[in-house]
Amino acid sequence: MAVSGFEGFEKRLELHFTGEDPMGLRRLEFIALEQVLNAVNCSIVSAVGNCFFDAYVLSESSLFVYPMKIIIKTCGTTQLLKSIPCLLGHAFELGLSVCGCRYTRGSFIFPEAQPFPHTSFKEEVLYLEECLPTNLCYRKACILPSKVCHSWHVYTASDHYMLDQVPNKFTIEVCMTQLDVALARRFFRRCGDHNPGDVAGKEMTAATGISNINPCALVCDFAFDPCGYSMNGLDGAHYSTIHITPEDGFSYASYECVGSMDNYDEIGTMVQKVAHIFRPGTMSISMCTPQLDDVDVCSQIANSLKPVGLICRSCRIEEFPATGSLMFQTFTPQSETVNSGQKLQNSSHMPWRKML
């Protein structure tokens, strides 16, 4: 591992709102979005939208704006949680009230480089507790550990309204490190390549097989100089996103998507395609669903990754109020020997509580 380098692991924030205006957050002016992102220390590099939501590729990852939901995902040394006060202020001006929050991240490669409030998970939780209104009274913070991979940090908060909602969707977050060196080189710009980032991005999307993960998606992609890649995919009301830091020593790639529970059986095929593109040395998969068939989905994903040489080393399940079940699996190559068990385990660190 390099002594220092770019932090690939993202911080992810998802906020839900209620309100009367069906357009909701999509009425936010561009200048308002810039104010939010300025607080985070990142900017917009490209954008696309459809009738369901707007998607933005950022200088550090992605932003998705739905009428009643916003998702910001940022890497590097961004201060993601500092977006919350600004976001809540703009939402209030639109007549919207926050009703739910979910914050997730892996273990940073370079934790000592992170600024406040991301210096530790404890500091992040304290900051979230201070920023969020008291109506979000069902709160839980939890670290799902792994002996062979990074840990997974999760914080959720919700009000009574969110507690009654049961969305028919799942969210998958895939984190990969130690990418195959030859495959990672495909995300470096060619010497003398003076094409704009969007043009170079489309070339990488086609050449690497990323376009085959979901051929139905409208893709907005961008290649950074001298290396690095981001994309957002839009498929109806569902999004997908990929971010890649290809430098050897701290290489990292992530894949995230939202899908319908009606397409539950396609999850294994999807993660297999992702693993095949990057051939990572470590891989984690976090899946959040309203109802989780623990054994079925764990087995489905584990079996789908065996053909690409990845073996499930751990699988942990945690329940979150108004969020549902969260499954966290870790994988390493079959050739590696580990002492940790592979049995399904329940992690129960900080029981959820109702805030008085």
Side-chain angles (χ1 to χ4, degrees):
M1 182 181 292
V3 174
S4 63
F6 186 81
E7 181 60 66
F9 273 97
E10 299 98 345
K11 317 164 186 86
R12 181 187 184 277
L13 176 68
E14 179 175 329
L15 294 174
H16 292 254
F17 296 84
T18 58
E20 300 298 326
D21 186 349
M23 285 296 292
L25 295 167
R26 297 188 74 182
R27 292 198 186 278
L28 285 172
E29 300 286 346
F30 187 78
I31 190 171
L33 293 177
E34 284 187 314
Q35 290 172 354
V36 170
L37 296 175
N38 284 341
V40 177
N41 292 323
C42 63
S43 58
I44 295 170
V45 298
S46 64
V48 68
N50 62 17
C51 61
F52 297 100
F53 67 101
D54 301 310
Y56 302 85
V57 173
L58 306 180
S59 55
E60 282 86 7
S61 300
S62 291
L63 164 68
F64 302 96
V65 182
Y66 288 79
M68 297 297 162
K69 176 175 67 176
I70 191 165
I71 299 150
I72 312 179
K73 187 169 187 172
T74 64
C75 55
T77 55
T78 51
Q79 296 169 284
L80 175 59
L81 296 183
K82 286 194 172 183
S83 66
I84 296 176
C86 189
L87 266 173
L88 296 185
H90 287 304
F92 179 78
E93 293 173 357
L94 294 174
L96 304 177
S97 300
V98 64
C99 62
C101 170
R102 182 162 85 243
Y103 174 70
T104 56
R105 68 167 175 85
S107 301
F108 296 125
I109 300 173
F110 307 107
E112 68 284 350
Q114 291 297 316
F116 176 83
H118 300 286
T119 50
S120 69
F121 187 54
K122 180 180 178 180
E123 287 293 338
E124 290 171 323
V125 171
L126 288 173
Y127 190 85
L128 283 158
E129 297 275 77
E130 293 174 358
C131 287
L132 296 173
T134 56
N135 65 295
L136 274 62
C137 56
Y138 299 98
R139 304 186 179 194
K140 179 174 179 176
C142 182
I143 300 176
L144 284 72
S146 170
K147 294 182 180 180
V148 299
C149 196
H150 55 273
S151 299
W152 196 242
H153 305 68
V154 186
Y155 173 90
T156 66
S158 60
D159 67 2
H160 298 285
Y161 173 82
M162 283 291 291
L163 208 60
D164 295 331
Q165 305 303 303
V166 184
N168 186 39
K169 294 181 180 180
F170 64 82
T171 302
I172 285 186
E173 296 178 70
V174 181
C175 300
M176 296 162 282
T177 62
Q178 303 171 32
L179 310 182
D180 180 274
V181 175
L183 297 179
R185 292 297 303 178
R186 299 182 298 178
F187 298 98
F188 282 77
R189 299 282 290 265
R190 298 188 307 273
C191 183
D193 180 5
H194 301 298
N195 284 325
D198 57 339
V199 174
K202 292 187 185 307
E203 293 177 355
M204 289 183 183
T205 300
T208 58
I210 286 176
S211 57
N212 296 326
I213 297 176
N214 181 1
C216 299
L218 169 64
V219 174
C220 179
D221 34 24
F222 195 90
F224 296 91
D225 192 10
C227 64
Y229 168 92
S230 290
M231 68 78 76
N232 293 330
L234 293 76
D235 184 4
H238 302 146
Y239 72 84
S240 59
T241 186
I242 293 176
H243 303 284
I244 302 162
T245 301
E247 292 98 324
D248 191 27
F250 49 94
S251 62
Y252 172 84
S254 68
Y255 173 80
E256 177 183 335
C257 75
V258 169
S260 170
M261 295 297 290
D262 297 333
N263 300 324
Y264 202 63
D265 295 338
E266 299 175 8
I267 294 172
T269 301
M270 176 184 60
V271 296
Q272 184 185 87
K273 289 179 180 179
V274 172
H276 185 75
I277 291 171
F278 300 104
R279 297 281 178 175
T282 70
M283 183 176 188
S284 75
I285 299 176
S286 169
M287 181 173 178
C288 184
T289 68
Q291 294 180 340
L292 182 64
D293 186 338
D294 302 343
V295 177
D296 177 64
V297 71
C298 288
S299 299
Q300 182 190 154
I301 293 176
N303 291 335
S304 71
L305 291 176
K306 285 181 181 178
V308 293
L310 292 172
I311 301 301
C312 182
R313 305 300 185 180
S314 64
C315 182
R316 299 176 182 272
I317 305 293
E318 190 73 21
E319 297 292 329
F320 289 84
T323 298
S325 301
L326 189 144
M327 178 202 70
F328 179 62
Q329 281 180 287
T330 59
F331 299 83
T332 61
Q334 188 169 6
S335 57
E336 294 189 10
T337 302
V338 295
N339 295 322
S340 60
Q342 299 181 30
K343 294 182 179 180
L344 180 67
Q345 303 176 47
N346 287 310
S347 175
S348 182
H349 305 288
M350 297 172 64
W352 73 275
R353 66 194 187 282
K354 180 176 178 181
M355 193 174 182
L356 299 178

